[in-house]
Amino acid sequence: WYSLLLCCAWSYARLTAIFSPDNGLRSACLGNVLRLTLDKTLAVGSQLEIVDGTDIIPLSQTLAAQCGYSIESDPWGNTKVFASLLGCYVDNQADVVFTFGLRLRMYRDGLSEQVKHVTETCSYSPWASREILCDRNYMEVSLMVTPETPVKMVNGQQVHDSSEDAIPDAFVAPNGIWKMTFHTPDPKVMLLTDAQRAGYGVMMTQTRLVIRSPYNTAETYSVEVAGVPMEVFSVSTYNKIGSLIVDSAAACPTGGVVFTDKVITWHVPRRITPLISSAVKILETHMGVYGQRLDKTKMATRHYKLSVTESHIIIEFPVGSPDGYYKSHAPDYAYHITYTVEPMLELLWRAENTQADTRYKVLFPITTPLMPRPPHVIDNSVPEQRVFDILLGTFLHDVELINITFTTRVLTVAECNARGFDVQEHRFANSSKTFSLRVPFSDEVVLKRNPDPLTTVYFLPLVFGLLVLPEQTPFPHPAELEASREDVVLPTITGSCDQENFYVSVKYGSQQDNFQTMMLHAGSWRELDTELAKLYGLTDNGTHFSIIVHFTAPAAAFEDVYFKSIRARVDLLLLETLNMWQLNDFSIACYFPLTTTECYSNGTATATAVKVESVSNLNPEYLTLRDRSCKPAFSNDRFAFFSFKLNSCGTTRTFSDNVMVYENEIALPYNTGKQSRKSPFAQEHTISCYYLLNYTKTMAFCASPRSTDPMADPGVGHLVVQIRLSKDISYTLFYQTEDYPVKKYLRQPLYFEVELMQSTDPQIEVVLENCWATLHKDRTSLPNWDLIVDSCESLDDLYLTVFHPVVADTRIHVPAHIKRFSIKMFTFTKDDVVLKEQIFVHCDAVLCDTTKPDGICSGQCANPLRYANSLRPTGSKRGMSPLPGDFWPLVAVVSATSV
């Protein structure tokens, strides 16, 4: 209920009307009521006042019902004020012209900021003999009276009563009314002052008696007329002036509404028996909304219907018609809506026995029961786009999305958008709205599972946190979305071999290393754990891991043995960790050189027996030569090694042409107790050595005297000199090719090292003849700047080049082969403009014979003749101005000259 402050309207002449749709105020004279409309920008935080002289009268709910005012506000503050033309504080001129004076005082932060004055004048005539007005908070009846007629009217009969001359003036109001008898239906007498204190409004105008009653008072009662509940008040009013006793009654419907999902039907009794005692004829029927009559064209456009039956006046209008409004609610955290509209029914009937007419107007606000509207979640996701695309709706305009609860956290709408979830609100022409949300499959709030090795199921459980405004009523709406894709990239295995090793590489799939690697190791499957990873030199770079398996390692299975080679195989198996699905299996077999028999010229031989996987039960320890006492010199679970003389262990000798052949056999003895006779080694495994009987080698030589000592001829070759940039003064770590260009700050030291490569000659010394810097890779390009001139530092430089000594260590065996120097980082400037480009460093190096020191070969800067930048022209100058935070890349390039 909005507070109203009213005053008497006769001060209206001093008020200035500020009443225009542009400023949020609208008014309309609607028959016997005035309607004032204020939009929410004016109504919320404001008060209506009418000044009565110097008094300001607050209009409470009680006083509003007593004085003929009602207020209707929607939940957002848009307000309609209805005022009866016969209400309090209205300037009434002969019951024809009625003037209202209002003052709207606006408050912000509890302080009055602005006052707007409003006046409105309405004209209304002719009045019916009786007019009944049913508003939302009061019932009003006004009757035409002629005070000049000195009679009493009780049930239409004149009654003389001389006792009224004895009524004390203290009980008589200025309008002559002094007491009232309420029929409840039992009579109840009240003095006028008592009735007014009870909330009743009583007044006499120039031609009419006006009585107003709130609903649900002690003196009103309820009846049911034609099945419609109605509230009634009936009263006899005693007026000393003219000795009038006037019977008045009003009856207003409090029900009669039938709801369906699409239509609201309102029934009003055609014959309202508390008001009608004889036959009547209905002269007019009108339908309207918010007090405003509607013509038949507007009614048809809006699908309103007004019909009259034997017992009822019936009004039908569709739920959602534009004259009402929807409102959201969330009882028990479930989304509902209601629809509210205020139809008006106005009747005019005439009593056939008295010809007195009655105008009957009802303003009847109707709100539907709560209608559940569970929101719908529409999954617009396209799995190929790898994004959940969700639409939530539909909601009324008074619902806001506040946050979304995911499995791991709660995010506000702003936080969702900052995370890249793209939350949007979509409004439609009918003021409804939906919300959309897009969540990438890759985000951590999306749960994932794999029902099979190739498929990923993406699961997004969430709860939308919504709020109904302006009540700030929260309610949630859960949703679960699921999408699946065959998007798993399985790990792959590749392999190769050389003369000794298997090289196996496993490339991770889309699920990285979420698998278990199994190796066939020593005849059984075993996980590639830390121990095996160390054994086979496992390396991992984040996308692959690799192992190296020697062909004799336990992970290599021997398939077959040949005279000069062996066929070995490595098997790998990749299993998904959780479900142990087989993701990949791999097998690679290669031939490796292996000599199983060696025959020596000293009459001995060696032989190696290999256990292959087809005889998994063989124990090489039990193998022997023909002579069972000749056992392996060495054996393990895979090999048996024999070393013996060819005239022992049962070896036989045969001759064929010019060849002598020794033979023996490797076999299992018959009674080992542990080996099966079915083993292949139960058959003979022949060892053969072949020797030529007659074999002659001829060797000849001759000698001649030497007249002179041998001398080396001069030759032409290449010596390599390289320049490197060290990371610090220790000269232990150097930048590699892929590190260039190197970024350095101004004045930061740069440590260079020039080294003669691939030479151990201590008689050679490297001497740096000239070093300089350029902006381009071309060593002859301009601009340039000298760093070393004639083997000495350049004096033109404010920051001199520094030479560093070189001593022998584990890396440096000939210190003379290396020269070290350092400079300060700089940049070129041209016309006072800093050239932020790369810098290239070049050097000319001379390789000197230390046995013949001369000129430049006298040593580094041995003859310090300084030619300050005189040898090389320059087009720019070197810049060393400190520029905080700036740095330039550096690229080092060397050019070497040998002598």
Side-chain angles (χ1 to χ4, degrees):
W1 187 269
Y2 288 84
S3 176
L4 293 177
L5 298 180
L6 305 177
C7 75
C8 291
W10 48 75
S11 302
Y12 76 95
R14 300 196 303 269
L15 302 179
T16 303
I18 308 176
F19 215 65
S20 144
D22 297 334
N23 59 23
L25 292 170
R26 297 180 300 279
S27 66
C29 297
L30 307 174
N32 55 2
V33 295
L34 166 71
R35 186 184 68 199
L36 175 67
T37 304
L38 299 85
D39 67 24
K40 61 184 178 182
T41 59
L42 293 178
V44 176
S46 302
Q47 287 184 331
L48 278 174
E49 303 174 342
I50 298 179
V51 180
D52 182 9
T54 59
D55 295 332
I56 297 177
I57 305 171
L59 192 67
S60 64
Q61 295 186 39
T62 301
L63 188 58
Q66 188 176 31
C67 286
Y69 292 88
S70 70
I71 300 176
E72 185 275 332
S73 296
D74 67 22
W76 305 278
N78 301 296
T79 301
K80 293 181 177 64
V81 180
F82 292 89
S84 170
L85 298 188
L86 298 176
C88 308
Y89 314 114
V90 179
D91 183 17
N92 184 341
Q93 299 180 21
D95 288 336
V96 175
V97 178
F98 306 86
T99 302
F100 295 80
L102 302 175
R103 184 171 73 176
L104 180 65
R105 184 187 299 274
M106 287 170 285
Y107 292 85
R108 296 295 182 266
D109 299 325
L111 301 176
S112 175
E113 287 189 349
Q114 187 178 3
V115 175
K116 290 188 177 183
H117 299 282
V118 179
T119 61
E120 184 67 19
T121 300
C122 296
S123 298
Y124 181 65
S125 66
W127 289 85
S129 301
R130 178 174 62 174
E131 300 224 354
I132 297 173
L133 174 62
C134 298
D135 206 339
R136 66 184 60 245
N137 58 328
Y138 66 87
M139 302 176 284
E140 177 185 283
V141 58
S142 69
L143 299 145
M144 185 179 297
V145 297
T146 54
E148 294 81 6
T149 305
V151 296
K152 299 178 184 178
M153 304 296 295
V154 179
N155 297 326
Q157 303 294 321
Q158 296 182 3
V159 178
H160 297 278
D161 189 351
S162 59
S163 64
E164 293 187 4
D165 294 333
I167 299 172
D169 292 338
F171 296 110
V172 180
N175 55 21
I177 299 172
W178 70 283
K179 74 172 183 178
M180 305 173 73
T181 299
F182 291 90
H183 308 283
T184 63
D186 298 329
K188 182 178 180 180
V189 179
M190 301 176 69
L191 294 176
L192 175 63
T193 53
D194 294 333
Q196 290 174 331
R197 278 195 295 269
Y200 296 98
V202 184
M203 63 182 296
M204 288 285 297
T205 68
Q206 187 171 338
T207 62
R208 305 188 72 79
L209 170 64
V210 182
I211 301 176
R212 197 173 295 110
S213 171
Y215 289 95
N216 302 316
T217 67
E219 290 73 39
T220 62
Y221 61 95
S222 297
V223 297
E224 192 171 281
V225 180
V228 177
M230 304 192 77
E231 188 158 353
V232 180
F233 85 89
S234 176
V235 63
S236 298
T237 306
Y238 295 79
N239 193 316
K240 183 177 180 181
I241 302 173
S243 300
L244 289 177
I245 301 175
V246 180
D247 292 334
S248 306
C252 295
T254 57
V257 181
V258 177
F259 299 99
T260 67
D261 290 340
K262 296 183 178 180
V263 177
I264 299 174
T265 305
W266 178 31
H267 299 79
V268 178
R270 178 175 179 178
R271 179 181 176 84
I272 305 174
T273 52
L275 304 179
I276 299 173
S277 59
S278 62
V280 298
K281 180 179 181 180
I282 296 178
L283 304 178
E284 297 178 12
T285 57
H286 302 283
M287 175 193 173
V289 289
Y290 296 107
Q292 179 76 53
R293 289 183 182 178
L294 297 177
D295 58 30
K296 292 183 179 181
T297 301
K298 290 182 179 179
M299 289 174 59
T301 301
R302 302 176 190 183
H303 305 289
Y304 297 162
K305 295 179 181 179
L306 175 62
S307 58
V308 181
T309 68
E310 284 292 326
S311 56
H312 294 92
I313 311 294
I314 301 175
I315 293 177
E316 296 179 65
F317 46 93
V319 174
S321 66
D323 294 309
Y325 62 86
Y326 281 105
K327 180 71 185 74
S328 296
H329 307 271
D332 299 324
Y333 303 106
Y335 185 58
H336 293 71
I337 64 172
T338 58
Y339 174 74
T340 299
V341 68
E342 185 171 309
M344 179 200 75
L345 175 64
E346 187 175 342
L347 304 175
L348 180 65
W349 69 72
R350 179 170 295 162
E352 294 182 353
N353 57 348
T354 63
Q355 297 298 305
D357 53 1
T358 298
R359 186 170 298 280
Y360 183 78
K361 179 185 288 188
V362 184
L363 305 178
F364 195 76
I366 297 174
T367 298
T368 65
L370 288 171
M371 296 180 286
R373 290 294 186 271
H376 296 284
V377 173
I378 300 175
D379 187 355
N380 294 322
S381 305
V382 178
E384 289 70 23
Q385 297 177 356
R386 298 184 58 81
V387 175
F388 280 114
D389 191 343
I390 313 152
L391 188 68
L392 176 68
T394 302
F395 300 100
L396 299 181
H397 64 93
D398 56 352
V399 173
E400 293 292 336
L401 177 61
I402 303 301
N403 56 41
I404 303 175
T405 301
F406 298 96
T407 53
T408 58
R409 66 195 66 199
V410 179
L411 299 177
T412 66
V413 172
E415 290 170 338
C416 286
N417 284 318
R419 194 181 176 93
F421 285 178
D422 190 18
V423 181
Q424 293 187 23
E425 178 183 284
H426 307 274
R427 291 181 176 268
F428 303 100
N430 63 357
S431 297
S432 64
K433 65 169 65 172
T434 59
F435 301 100
S436 64
L437 168 67
R438 289 172 59 85
V439 179
F441 286 0
S442 57
D443 196 274
E444 65 176 13
V445 301
V446 178
L447 306 179
K448 306 174 183 67
R449 62 181 179 88
N450 298 99
D452 58 66
L454 295 176
T455 304
T456 303
V457 174
Y458 299 90
F459 183 59
L460 180 61
L462 50 84
V463 179
F464 293 96
L466 301 137
L467 201 65
V468 176
L469 301 177
E471 297 85 355
Q472 304 286 319
T473 304
F475 69 98
H477 187 74
E480 293 184 352
L481 293 99
E482 186 175 293
S484 62
R485 292 193 70 216
E486 288 192 1
D487 58 357
V488 178
V489 178
L490 297 179
T492 57
I493 310 174
T494 56
S496 63
C497 304
D498 61 13
Q499 294 295 302
E500 292 187 352
N501 298 307
F502 291 95
Y503 299 90
V504 179
S505 177
V506 178
K507 180 180 180 182
Y508 297 142
S510 58
Q511 297 182 324
Q512 295 301 309
D513 58 350
N514 187 27
F515 58 85
Q516 189 178 74
T517 304
M518 306 295 293
M519 295 185 70
L520 187 60
H521 190 271
S524 60
W525 289 101
R526 178 177 169 184
E527 183 182 358
L528 182 61
D529 53 15
T530 304
E531 179 185 352
L532 292 186
K534 184 177 180 180
L535 177 64
Y536 298 122
L538 186 145
T539 58
D540 192 329
N541 65 0
T543 62
H544 301 70
F545 78 80
S546 300
I547 57 174
I548 301 174
V549 180
H550 193 271
F551 79 92
T552 62
F558 298 148
E559 293 184 338
D560 208 349
V561 181
Y562 302 92
F563 180 62
K564 290 292 185 179
S565 65
I566 185 171
R567 179 180 170 88
R569 187 185 75 251
V570 169
D571 297 305
L572 264 72
L573 189 64
L574 304 183
L575 301 178
E576 191 266 343
T577 304
L578 184 61
N579 301 290
M580 301 306 290
W581 292 320
Q582 181 174 317
L583 304 180
N584 205 334
D585 62 347
F586 176 78
S587 181
I588 180 173
C590 296
Y591 292 89
F592 297 93
L594 179 67
T595 300
T596 58
T597 302
E598 292 278 0
C599 302
Y600 300 98
S601 60
N602 63 356
T604 61
T606 60
T608 302
V610 181
K611 173 185 175 181
V612 296
E613 64 177 347
S614 60
V615 287
S616 59
N617 61 340
L618 173 69
N619 188 343
E621 177 185 359
Y622 295 103
L623 294 173
T624 67
L625 297 176
R626 285 176 180 163
D627 185 344
R628 304 286 177 84
S629 64
C630 294
K631 297 180 180 181
F634 164 81
S635 67
N636 58 18
D637 61 340
R638 310 186 77 189
F639 296 96
F641 178 76
F642 295 88
S643 178
F644 60 97
K645 293 181 179 180
L646 293 177
N647 60 357
S648 65
C649 297
T651 306
T652 61
R653 183 178 64 178
T654 59
F655 296 91
S656 175
D657 296 332
N658 194 38
V659 177
M660 181 171 54
V661 180
Y662 291 88
E663 289 185 342
N664 206 325
E665 295 172 356
I666 299 175
L668 279 173
Y670 285 99
N671 298 312
T672 63
K674 297 182 181 180
Q675 298 294 327
S676 169
R677 188 74 177 93
K678 297 180 180 179
S679 169
F681 279 96
Q683 307 299 324
E684 62 182 25
H685 182 75
T686 303
I687 303 169
S688 300
C689 289
Y690 297 85
Y691 294 92
L692 293 176
L693 291 176
N694 298 314
Y695 180 65
T696 303
K697 287 186 178 180
T698 303
M699 181 176 64
F701 69 93
C702 62
S704 59
R706 184 171 63 186
S707 59
T708 60
D709 292 332
M711 296 181 60
D713 291 333
V716 178
H718 294 281
L719 292 175
V720 178
V721 179
Q722 75 169 4
I723 184 171
R724 296 192 294 175
L725 178 61
S726 175
K727 293 186 177 182
D728 53 41
I729 197 172
S730 67
Y731 288 90
T732 56
L733 297 174
F734 296 87
Y735 291 103
Q736 304 303 313
T737 303
E738 60 269 20
D739 297 329
Y740 290 94
V742 176
K743 297 180 180 179
K744 295 288 186 179
Y745 287 94
L746 290 176
R747 295 186 184 144
Q748 188 173 353
L750 307 175
Y751 300 98
F752 292 90
E753 180 181 275
V754 179
E755 180 181 8
L756 172 62
M757 308 297 293
Q758 301 173 349
S759 175
T760 58
D761 190 346
Q763 295 183 355
I764 298 177
E765 180 181 8
V766 174
V767 176
L768 299 180
E769 183 177 20
N770 297 296
C771 291
W772 66 99
T774 65
L775 280 177
H776 306 288
K777 192 172 183 179
D778 184 359
R779 66 201 314 269
T780 64
S781 63
L782 296 176
N784 57 37
W785 187 261
D786 288 327
L787 305 174
I788 296 175
V789 179
D790 289 339
S791 80
C792 295
E793 62 269 27
S794 173
L795 290 181
D796 280 359
D797 205 330
L798 295 178
Y799 300 85
L800 293 178
T801 300
V802 178
F803 291 95
H804 298 279
V806 181
V807 296
D809 56 21
T810 56
R811 180 174 71 89
I812 301 172
H813 301 291
V814 185
H817 289 181
I818 295 177
K819 287 293 183 289
R820 293 171 174 170
F821 67 94
S822 64
I823 64 172
K824 300 287 187 177
M825 181 60 194
F826 68 94
T827 184
F828 286 95
T829 61
K830 184 174 183 180
D831 299 328
D832 295 326
V833 176
V834 174
L835 304 177
K836 296 184 179 181
E837 299 180 23
Q838 296 183 8
I839 294 175
F840 295 77
V841 176
H842 314 265
C843 283
D844 285 335
V846 180
L847 305 183
C848 297
D849 186 348
T850 57
T851 63
K852 299 176 182 179
D854 183 38
I856 194 70
C857 289
S858 299
Q860 192 73 50
C861 204
N863 184 21
L865 297 177
R866 309 302 176 88
Y867 303 97
N869 249 347
S870 61
L871 298 180
R872 193 172 289 103
T874 179
S876 297
K877 61 184 180 179
R878 173 177 174 176
M880 289 288 291
S881 301
L883 298 175
D886 286 356
F887 56 84
W888 281 266
L890 171 72
V891 174
V893 178
V894 64
S895 172
T897 303
S898 62
V899 295

